[in-house]
Amino acid sequence: MQRLESFTSDSAPGGGMLKVGEQDLGEGQRKGELALNCGPGAFARWITLNNALSGLFCASLNFIDATRTIRPVMTFEPVGDHSNASLQNLHLLHGTLPREVVCTENLTPFLKLLPCKGKAGISSLLDGHKLFDASWQSMAIDVRPVCPNDGSECIVEMEQTVDMVLDIERSKRPRDNPIPRPLPRDDLICDTSKQYYSNEACYPLDVSYGQPWGLSEIFGRPIRGTCLASIESDGSVSQPICINVPHERDVYTSHGVIEDKHSSGNSRCFTLPATENFEMLLPNQDINIRVPLSQPPLYAERSFTGHGQERGGVQTLLTNPSLTAPVEFIYLESLPWFMKPYLHTLKAQLSGSQTPQGSAIIKDIYYRPALDRKRGTQLEVHMSVPAASTVTLTYDFEKAILRYTEYPPDANRGFDVAPAVIRLISSDNSTSTQTYLRTTSLLLPLPTPDFSMPYNVIILTSTVMALAFGSIFNLLVRRFVGADEVEGYDFGKIRRSVWGRMMVLSDGLFRKEKKLQ
């Protein structure tokens, strides 16, 4: 998953996404006109920025055109220090490429932006084989202006983030022999509480928690010292490395590392030496204490409904796990132009209720319809979900018919639809910390023609043309003459030779018959 943003966010979507604020050289516009009429200068610089970032990160961001660009009104807010004059002349544009995936060619320029180029510090663990073999990974770059309080010149701050979800057993497999093999019977830890447990039947327990692992086993290498950019003038390291494990869990580190345990009892930080490699090892340990997981503010699940090639529907389940407080958020969908929703079918229904309760749940809607091959659909919904409740948001849409040249090579796979963006609104309406959630992307099947038919027609037509052209060409070009008209052609000699061979064959057959008799 790839995310390139100029505003901060807490989660990464599937595919690539670019979101920036562009200033127009023309006359400033009011906030109500911001999403309706973007200046030509701002959109031209938006295309220029896409092309520049595409070359910088070896990504396909140059495919973000007007059909994949929207102008959010309620979902995003500028992050960083902006003057009032710049905010009045600022245009927010948001583009997505749900089909784009992150690969090794994106990691190399990503590491080159770091002060130590991935040669030292925690970035030295970013090996392409380990990173892209993870169960889930994302890369993000957040750029924002920062102005000091003393009135000095403003600077541009860039924050790079890499998120990984690793399977310890999979990551510990050697690279030269990655094929998994079953454990011997004596090494299995069985669940003895099962009724069918015996010496011949074993239900293995989940031993992912408490199993041994180390940095060299997971990432294939230790942390190579400390980046010089993180060392203060007094020689101390400004950014320690922290892990969330209970204090009861044994953690062994290399020599010269300073350990600092947090008072919460569930985390500890390590201050690394400047030049020595850092190795960390957690042995196999059976403990019952686990790090408590924080409750997510909202659960979101999005899927397609309906059947057929003409129409369909989208259903989003929004669950508030809190037992006391409601959750308020902005729900944004950026849909392709060939997916045309019917706004009058938009419904919000509370779980357990038989009738839609849109007026009580939906507070505001911003809708910008699509134009064929010019722009996509933009839908923003301001919603509120009561405590311990689930709201089902549904709407119907119609599928457009594409030209045969607009289908990708794998047309029967379907078309990727960008994930929905959810911005959580705090109770005090503070914009200092913005929290965003994103659903998974969807795969939309469209009416697909039989692309093998043109191939069959071309092959059949080419065959008929080749036969007809070859025959006509021979009749027109070749010269037909009699056999006796050719110079040096002795027809009698050929006749005698053929007759002699026939006599030899007949004598041989006659002799074989006599022998059999």
Side-chain angles (χ1 to χ4, degrees), residues 18-40:
L18 180 65
K19 178 171 91 285
V20 302
E22 292 283 358
Q23 286 189 347
D24 189 11
L25 296 177
E27 183 180 358
Q29 296 175 340
R30 298 192 303 273
K31 183 177 180 181
E33 301 173 346
L34 183 62
L36 298 178
N37 185 16
C38 181

Side-chain angles (χ1 to χ4, degrees), residues 368-403:
R368 191 179 188 219
L371 296 178
D372 287 353
R373 299 174 179 85
K374 292 184 178 181
R375 73 183 185 197
T377 301
Q378 175 182 343
L379 176 63
E380 294 182 82
V381 184
H382 187 182
M383 302 178 60
S384 177
V385 178
S389 302
T390 300
V391 171
T392 303
L393 185 68
T394 59
Y395 63 85
D396 299 333
F397 65 89
E398 183 182 11
K399 303 177 183 179
I401 302 297
L402 302 182
R403 300 167 182 165

Side-chain angles (χ1 to χ4, degrees), residues 335-336 339-343 345 367 370 377 379 395-398:
L335 305 177
M339 182 177 170
K340 303 178 180 180
Y342 297 121
L343 189 60
T345 62
Y367 176 70
T377 301
L379 176 63
Y395 63 85
D396 299 333
F397 65 89
E398 183 182 11

Side-chain angles (χ1 to χ4, degrees), residues 343-360:
L343 189 60
H344 71 279
T345 62
L346 181 65
K347 299 177 183 178
Q349 185 170 351
L350 193 64
S351 60
S353 177
Q354 301 297 330
T355 57
Q357 299 178 351
S359 59

